[in-house]
Amino acid sequence: MAQRFVPRAASSRPSREVDVDLRRFRNDVRDAAGFEACRAIAAKKRGNSQMTDVHMRRAIELACESVTQGGGPFGAVVFLDGRVLGEGKNRVVPDGDPTAHAEINAIRNACRAEGSHSLQGAVIYTIGEPCPMCLGAIWWARISRIVFANSRDAAADIGFDDAALYREVSAPLENRKIKIEKSDEVGAKDVFEAWTRKADKVPY
């Protein structure tokens, strides 16, 4: 089991410096023998002054752990008000759940810890640029900032073609690869109208 850490405030260093640190880290990982070595490097470098973004290092470590446990190479951390609210690994294959992305799991754990559906003001650190599904969850959770390391193009290079999903959601309905049809069932509108009349509803 990975050694735990005491959360601290996120770094205020310029993003360019952090990017340089992450590139150095990735070079070390590339030279390491397997993901267990990757995880060990991440744990060791938490205290390295050349990498001050402790939460991104933790996300990378979670991603390495995920791979050793049969998941994809993704990890995420949700940070708010000086503390880590939730962490997540990719559990798509181990759990048989295509929605079990690292960001989704981190948000679920953070919301449970906070006792709320809203994570207003939080920062999510994730090893990869969020896919459209995860971006939607981040949006609905009202997370205020996203910090990611690998781009959607980098994910596509290793077989996770999030770029194709971004293109799909921006295409007109008639041009989508998955056929989408609109039903004219009037009962569906009744549900929405009932919601507008519900006096004790909680907007989100």
Side-chain angles (χ1 to χ4, degrees), residues 88-116:
K89 305 172 189 176
N90 180 283
R91 298 286 304 173
V92 170
V93 174
D95 292 352
D97 180 357
T99 70
H101 288 199
E103 296 94 330
I104 299 291
N105 288 330
I107 289 169
R108 287 171 176 163
N109 291 331
C111 286
R112 290 189 191 102
E114 192 72 352
S116 172

Side-chain angles (χ1 to χ4, degrees), residues 145-192:
R145 182 179 168 218
I146 302 168
V147 180
F148 70 89
N150 295 319
S151 70
R152 68 182 74 170
D153 294 326
D157 287 342
I158 62 168
F160 297 92
D161 199 355
D162 293 348
L165 292 176
Y166 275 98
R167 290 192 297 270
E168 178 77 355
V169 297
S170 63
L173 294 183
E174 62 273 15
N175 294 336
R176 301 279 179 89
K177 291 184 177 181
I178 298 177
K179 187 176 181 180
I180 300 179
E181 301 178 13
K182 184 182 181 305
S183 170
D184 293 327
E185 176 56 55
V186 294
K189 188 175 181 180
D190 293 340
V191 178
F192 278 15

